[in-house]
Amino acid sequence: PPGTRIWLYGVTAAAVASALNFGWLYLCTQVFHWTVSVPAAFDTASLVDATPERIIIATCAAVATGTVGANLLAKTVIGPRIWWLVISSGFGVVSTYAVLTIAEIDLFVRVRLAVLHMLTMVVAIPMLYRALHIHDSDLEHADRRWHDHVESRAAAQTTSPASSPATPAHLELDDYVGMTEDEALAAAAAAGIECRVMSRDDQQMTVTLDFRPDRVNLVVVGGRVQSASVG
């Protein structure tokens, strides 16, 4: 799936989850006058009152981490959607469990804080799961990009002087006929073409049997080229 779509869903999920968490925090503190405590850092031994800034920053950080994970899964793992559900749901459950087991804090305060975690999880995971879906248009786009890439490389190799050496297919083999052996070898060398003598005065030379479309084979009789071929 395109990374742009995953990030678009991730940003949307962060915005929606932040709004829901802010609403829940406002409901708890301003309407019901409940206390919502959050860890001051990763160490849960130090708790502070939750503020909208802390909640929004933590929510955005969590969703951003999930979005990065979704991108990595989409680029490196076959079937990223099922992996996303398994891994992200597991982390979400673990984080909620960790909140519910914070020591030295009232159970209802833990539940209020756990609701914030669950709101983030139920918003972010389904949205990013949907972003990881591969549509037919994604496959068509990837196929088109691949063909454009192959065609551009082929065009570059065709137009580049360094990658387009002269080959026998671009020359007239009859030009070698009638030359002396030295003249033919010199002409091939000047054109950047490998050239070899296959036989001299009906005596077969010891040569390799591989076929090379960029090589000229000469048959020499009486010091002059009688025939030339590619191979």
Side-chain angles (χ1 to χ4, degrees):
T4 52
R5 186 174 71 214
I6 296 175
W7 277 105
L8 177 62
Y9 275 72
V11 171
T12 304
V16 173
S18 296
L20 290 175
N21 282 339
F22 176 81
W24 171 247
L25 180 64
Y26 180 86
L27 187 67
C28 290
T29 58
Q30 301 300 320
V31 177
F32 298 108
H33 304 289
W34 293 339
T35 299
V36 178
S37 300
V38 296
F42 289 103
D43 182 11
T44 58
S46 177
L47 300 175
V48 297
D49 290 338
T51 62
E53 293 78 13
R54 286 180 178 273
I55 294 301
I56 291 175
I57 291 174
T59 302
C60 291
V63 179
T65 302
T67 305
V68 171
N71 266 291
L72 293 176
L73 286 172
K75 305 304 179 184
T76 59
V77 179
I78 298 175
R81 277 160 53 97
I82 186 64
W83 280 105
W84 172 257
L85 280 180
V86 172
I87 296 174
S88 58
S89 298
F91 277 119
V93 171
V94 168
S95 67
T96 304
Y97 175 78
V99 170
L100 290 172
T101 56
I102 295 177
E104 299 179 2
I105 187 173
D106 184 78
L107 174 62
F108 292 104
V109 177
R110 300 179 198 170
V111 172
R112 294 163 198 158
L113 182 57
V115 170
L116 296 172
H117 283 247
M118 289 187 289
L119 286 174
T120 301
M121 182 171 65
V122 299
V123 169
I125 293 176
M127 290 191 70
L128 289 172
Y129 174 81
R130 182 176 178 83
L132 290 170
H133 179 66
I134 300 176
H135 303 282
D136 290 340
S137 58
D138 298 331
L139 299 176
E140 293 173 1
H141 180 67
D143 183 68
R144 184 167 58 253
R145 287 184 60 188
W146 168 251
H147 282 88
D148 290 344
H149 172 70
V150 172
E151 290 172 3
S152 64
R153 288 194 61 181
Q157 292 176 354
T158 301
T159 57
S160 175
S163 60
S164 300
T167 64
H170 300 145
L171 299 175
E172 294 292 337
L173 295 178
D174 291 342
D175 293 342
Y176 293 97
V177 178
M179 291 184 180
T180 64
E181 180 179 334
D182 292 340
E183 289 174 344
L185 294 175
I193 300 171
E194 184 177 345
C195 185
R196 64 180 181 177
V197 177
M198 295 293 290
S199 69
R200 184 181 294 111
D201 295 329
D202 296 328
Q203 180 181 357
Q204 296 296 321
M205 301 292 103
T206 302
V207 295
T208 58
L209 298 179
D210 58 317
F211 179 82
R212 290 274 300 279
D214 58 345
R215 180 170 58 195
V216 172
N217 297 318
L218 305 177
V219 175
V220 179
V221 177
R224 292 188 177 274
V225 176
Q226 186 181 62
S227 64
S229 61
V230 175

